[in-house]
Amino acid sequence: MIRRNQRFLTQLYIVADFLVIQIAFLAAWWLKFKSGWLESYRTLPVESYAYWSFIYGGIAVLIGIVLSLYQPKRKKRFVDEFLKIFQVHLMSIFMLLGLMYFLKEIDVSRQYLAIYIAFNILSIMLYRYVLKKMLKSFREKGFNRQFVLILGAGTLGKRFYSNLEQYPELGYEAIGFLDDFHVWDGIEEQRYKPILGTVDELPGMLEMLPVDEVILALPLDAHSKYPAIIAACEKAGVRTLIIPDFFDYLPARPYFDNFAGMPMINVRDIPLDMTGNKLAKRGFDIVFSLFAIIVMLPVMLVVALGVRLTSPGPIIFKQERVGLNRRNFMMYKFRSMKMQQDGEEDTGWSTPVDPRRTKFGTFIRKTSLDELPQFFNVLFGQMSVVGPRPERPFYVEQFRDEIPKYMVKHHVRPGITGWAQSNGLRGDTSIEERIKHDIFYIENWSLLFDIRIIFKTIRNGFKNAY
């Protein structure tokens, strides 16, 4: 059965959005016309502004319904909700301006409208973020639970159950499994919920148990059962979700396309393939790297002087790395090691106790100050502020055969920091785990995700750096 409180929560969101829009109207009106902080020439009474705010609220709610802003959100990321909110209000203001132009309402303050829209978006995002955090907290404590029944107790079903246990804030609880062949052994019986029966017993289970969603985690040879399973779930009013038996080949967030009238799954959908996203990320990289270079210039001068005084040789160390589309480039660092002898090739990892390092080099590597020249790589377009860390050609050739999906990281520009590095995966850490984080970043990129990684890197420091 579908639980009533979800419908109530949807209605609550609609009412709350409309009320927040009217509060934003009062705040914008006060700031523009009453605070005295802004120059104002009042041309319409407050009642007229309130009238248009009510109309705007209705437009925004209707567009939100059309664009599925009020659908259940417990499985969705807040960044997706943020983008949807921005889209809804951008469309709403254009519709409002069109309506005002059609009705020849030309005396509304343009500055007021800008403040009003900004307040709307910020206040709605703020209250939704706080509400989402509160709901997660309540769900972790057992409130508003939804129950799932897993069809298939094989590798796929057990993996889903284990993953679900790691996200208590989603508020889902597995009741148990249905499987035609599998029986738990002693260890599995302690780790997993019980196998309640066979797949053919599903209709009876849906009548007996408080099931909200059925998860199909069956192997490929059981797909002939799907029509009967889906029909039973729809008859009982239960949502059905299918985990494809080939999901290991799919991205973290699969993209469904349409080709020749047939729905298809795009195996590797990359947000940064879109021109708009590329331009946005490149613009952010240029602005951020220029800001970082200006702010950190005194520090870079001190580090350059330290390198010069403590070791003979060049200040900047250049090393060939593999970047976007497998193109090689020279990555810059402040030199932290002694000069190599002629003909000596460096293909070794740096270690915590590395005799090649100078004393000053140990300090700048530990604090990651040696990475600062890479902001120039960003300006030159060879790197990004955030992205998978680039590796030397020698190791790329080695890892491409040893680690699945390793070369996927070269679909985007490499970064000074990344999702893996912000989670402490630097230095002598698992390459496989780094690649998993890199692929997750590539498939889930957004500017907000970049900003989150930058703040997380600053907050956590450069762990495992040496």
Side-chain angles (χ1 to χ4, degrees), residues 330-456:
M330 301 305 292
M331 189 180 78
Y332 307 137
K333 286 188 174 187
F334 283 120
R335 185 172 56 83
S336 59
M337 294 192 178
K338 301 168 185 175
M339 293 296 295
Q340 290 179 220
Q341 300 298 322
D342 291 340
E344 183 181 355
E345 186 178 2
D346 177 20
T347 57
W349 288 106
S350 177
T351 59
V353 182
D354 197 324
R356 298 172 297 172
R357 287 203 304 256
T358 65
K359 289 184 178 179
F360 187 72
T362 301
F363 166 72
I364 62 174
R365 287 179 73 95
K366 191 71 175 176
T367 56
S368 294
L369 292 173
D370 63 322
E371 311 276 4
L372 290 177
Q374 288 164 39
F375 283 112
F376 290 97
N377 285 116
V378 176
L379 275 183
F380 299 155
Q382 300 157 333
M383 293 180 66
S384 181
V385 176
V386 179
R389 285 294 291 171
E391 195 46 79
R392 284 174 277 179
F394 174 84
Y395 288 114
V396 171
E397 290 302 316
Q398 176 184 337
F399 294 148
R400 68 185 301 170
D401 297 324
E402 297 177 357
I403 300 172
K405 303 180 183 179
Y406 180 82
M407 297 304 288
V408 173
K409 66 184 285 186
H410 299 110
H411 287 317
V412 300
R413 282 190 180 91
I416 297 175
T417 186
W419 183 230
Q421 287 67 42
S422 68
N423 283 283
L425 294 170
R426 293 185 85 216
D428 190 16
T429 54
S430 168
I431 302 295
E432 288 85 354
E433 283 301 313
R434 289 193 223 175
I435 292 302
K436 287 180 183 178
H437 282 71
D438 288 341
I439 291 175
F440 179 86
Y441 168 79
I442 290 169
E443 294 174 348
N444 294 273
W445 175 87
S446 71
L447 276 181
L448 283 179
F449 195 15
D450 275 2
I451 294 169
R452 176 187 173 190
I453 290 171
I454 291 169
F455 277 111
K456 189 171 183 179

Side-chain angles (χ1 to χ4, degrees), residues 266-327:
N266 192 326
V267 173
R268 190 66 60 197
D269 181 58
I270 299 175
L272 283 170
D273 283 344
M274 297 176 62
T275 302
N277 290 341
K278 282 182 182 178
L279 292 174
K281 184 170 177 63
R282 184 62 187 141
F284 176 81
D285 283 341
I286 292 171
V287 172
F288 190 93
S289 57
L290 281 173
F291 175 78
I293 289 170
I294 293 170
V295 171
M296 299 301 292
L297 187 58
V299 177
M300 286 194 277
L301 292 174
V302 170
V303 174
L305 183 62
V307 173
R308 171 63 72 189
L309 295 176
T310 57
S311 173
I315 294 172
I316 299 296
F317 171 67
K318 300 177 186 177
Q319 191 175 62
E320 190 177 21
R321 299 289 176 112
V322 181
L324 176 65
N325 295 327
R326 305 179 305 282
R327 303 289 191 272

Side-chain angles (χ1 to χ4, degrees), residues 1 10 21-22 26-27 32 39 57 119 159 164 174-175 194 202 246 250 292 307 309 355 381 423 444 446-447 457:
M1 62 177 177
T10 297
I21 287 171
Q22 306 317 315
L26 293 174
K32 171 62 180 173
E39 188 176 12
F119 278 7
R159 184 167 175 179
L164 190 64
I175 296 176
L202 175 63
F246 48 86
L250 301 180
V307 173
L309 295 176
N423 283 283
N444 294 273
S446 71
L447 276 181
T457 301

